[in-house]
């Protein structure tokens, strides 16, 4: 199962590095930094298992760990087929406090920081992640300039609405959209998933393992997932990933973990073909919102 991001071919099960620098909740300044050796082991194991799409960002860091630096240490010199996708827009102080969204003029500095941390002379894919920005044309235009300068190979979007995609496509090619989505999680994104498929754009959910009631305990959706997982001898997380991949050949997943066993399970989820009956039951749970 592969998809092309521009001229780059990736396996549809990738790896998200957001949780790699720390244990527990991402971006929690009180979180315990992850063991460095374990983080490097997981990254190397991911590539060994066939993962060739790693999602990261310069603002993924804990008190003593940086996702980009861990990726550099673990995987450089990088395999030829490895695609590293990063994102710009947000920023954090060294103490971990969030900064205002970068201005168009600040985006070059963010791109250069990712290049430095990853030890690359260009970035494979850069997603513009926005928050509270209604028109991204100027920001995306600046990234298109960096693309023409050779610092960036392909461009994508993160945390956007359909009209943002329209704006960006008037400026430059968009190879992927990365939004919060999963089984029972933001079902209003279903139409956008379809739009991306029609346009040949990868749709890359983050939080694909988050359910509708991720902070409110169990739900009917959890019950259906658990029943199917038990019947198949799989984990609930694997069923959630398999359902997400079944949304279309253009849908990629980037689950993150610091546990080698969970990593293997995530990759193996790509081999689970859900039946029509299972998909019908899961789709009903998805639309019910749990």
């Amino acid at each position: 199962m592969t998809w092309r991001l521009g001229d780059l071919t990736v396996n549809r099960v990738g790896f998200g590095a957001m949780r790699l620098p720390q244990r527990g909740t991402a971006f929690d300044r009180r979180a315990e930094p992850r063991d460095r050796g374990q983080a490097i082991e997981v990254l190397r194991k991911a590539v060994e298992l066939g993962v060739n799409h790693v999602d990261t960002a310069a603002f993924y860091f804990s008190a003593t760990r940086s996702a980009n630096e861990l990726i550099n240490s673990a995987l450089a010199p990088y395999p030829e087929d490895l695609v590293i996708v990063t994102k710009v827009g947000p920023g954090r102080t060294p103490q971990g406090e969030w900064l205002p969204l970068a201005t168009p003029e600040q985006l070059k500095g963010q791109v250069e920081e990712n290049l430095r941390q990853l030890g690359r002379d260009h970035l494979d894919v850069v997603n513009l992640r926005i928050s509270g920005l209604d028109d991204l044309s100027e920001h995306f235009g600046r990234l298109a300039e960096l693309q023409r300068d050779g610092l960036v190979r392909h461009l994508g979007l993160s945390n956007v609405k359909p009209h943002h995609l329209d704006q960006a496509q008037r400026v430059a090619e968009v190879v992927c959209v990365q939004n919060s989505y999963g089984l029972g999680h933001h079902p209003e994104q279903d139409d956008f998933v379809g739009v991306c498929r029609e346009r040949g754009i990868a749709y890359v959910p983050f939080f694909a393992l988050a359910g509708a009631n991720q902070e409110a305990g169990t739900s009917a959706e959890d019950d259906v997932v658990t029943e199917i997982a038990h019947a198949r001898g799989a984990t609930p997380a694997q069923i959630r990933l398999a359902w997400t991949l079944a949304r279309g050949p253009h849908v990629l997943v980037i689950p993150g973990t610091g546990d080698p066993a969970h990593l293997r399970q995530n990759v193996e989820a790509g081999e689970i073909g859900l039946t029509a009956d299972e998909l019908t039951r899961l789709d009903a749970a998805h639309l019910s919102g749990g």
Side-chain angles (χ1 to χ4, degrees):
M1 296 197 304
T2 62
W3 186 260
R4 290 180 69 80
L5 299 174
D7 62 348
L8 304 172
T9 300
V10 295
N11 293 322
R12 291 178 60 207
V13 179
F15 180 85
M18 182 178 70
R19 298 184 182 277
L20 205 58
Q22 74 288 313
R23 296 182 180 277
T25 306
F27 309 124
D28 183 350
R29 285 181 285 164
R30 299 163 297 178
E32 175 189 354
R34 187 175 301 281
D35 178 79
R36 177 179 173 79
Q38 183 189 43
I40 287 177
E41 176 192 358
V42 166
L43 284 164
R44 289 175 175 166
K45 176 60 70 174
V47 171
E48 183 182 313
L49 292 173
V51 170
N52 65 349
H53 169 201
V54 175
D55 178 81
T56 186
F59 55 86
Y60 289 174
F61 63 84
S62 64
T64 57
R65 300 280 182 270
S66 155
N68 281 352
E69 187 276 326
L70 288 167
I71 291 167
N72 189 345
S73 297
L75 303 179
Y78 298 108
E80 286 188 11
D81 68 336
L82 181 67
V83 176
I84 299 178
V85 179
T86 188
K87 59 191 70 65
V88 295
R92 298 166 71 200
T93 69
Q95 294 74 34
E97 297 173 351
W98 288 101
L99 296 167
L101 185 72
T103 64
E105 294 72 28
Q106 292 171 325
L107 292 177
K108 182 179 181 181
Q110 291 191 342
V111 165
E112 290 173 339
E113 180 65 7
N114 279 282
L115 288 168
R116 184 188 67 78
Q117 293 178 359
L118 290 166
R120 303 289 297 269
D121 60 6
H122 75 277
L123 299 175
D124 296 324
V125 182
V126 172
N127 288 328
L128 173 64
R129 180 173 174 81
I130 69 168
S131 178
L133 191 66
D134 186 59
D135 189 336
L136 53 67
S137 302
E138 189 176 354
H139 283 74
F140 204 70
R142 182 61 182 130
L143 288 182
E145 291 176 10
L146 299 177
Q147 182 183 36
R148 290 191 289 271
D149 290 342
L151 296 182
V152 179
R153 193 161 180 173
H154 298 294
L155 301 176
L157 300 171
S158 179
N159 198 38
V160 295
K161 298 176 181 178
H163 77 275
H164 291 124
L165 176 58
D166 294 337
Q167 292 169 356
Q169 286 191 296
R170 286 194 285 268
V171 175
E173 181 184 6
V174 177
V175 300
C176 57
V177 167
Q178 188 183 95
N179 274 7
S180 185
Y181 178 71
L183 176 58
H185 183 60
H186 289 308
E188 70 277 4
Q189 286 282 310
D190 289 348
D191 289 344
F192 200 7
V193 176
V195 168
C196 288
R197 180 172 184 168
E198 291 169 1
R199 300 186 189 185
I201 296 170
Y203 187 92
V204 189
F206 56 88
F207 298 146
L209 295 179
N213 295 330
Q214 53 186 324
E215 297 178 357
T218 59
S219 65
E221 165 213 316
D222 292 318
D223 291 342
V224 175
V225 171
T226 301
E227 289 170 11
I228 293 174
H230 180 73
R232 279 184 163 267
T235 68
Q238 287 179 313
I239 298 304
R240 289 183 177 278
L241 291 173
W243 176 88
T244 304
L245 290 167
R247 304 305 281 176
H250 67 305
V251 177
L252 316 179
V253 294
I254 48 171
T257 180
D259 184 300
H262 289 163
L263 170 67
R264 182 177 291 276
Q265 291 171 356
N266 291 342
V267 173
E268 290 175 347
E271 302 303 317
I272 297 176
L274 296 169
T275 67
D277 177 66
E278 288 169 335
L279 286 171
T280 296
R281 293 168 62 197
L282 290 167
D283 289 349
H286 171 64
L287 294 174
S288 73

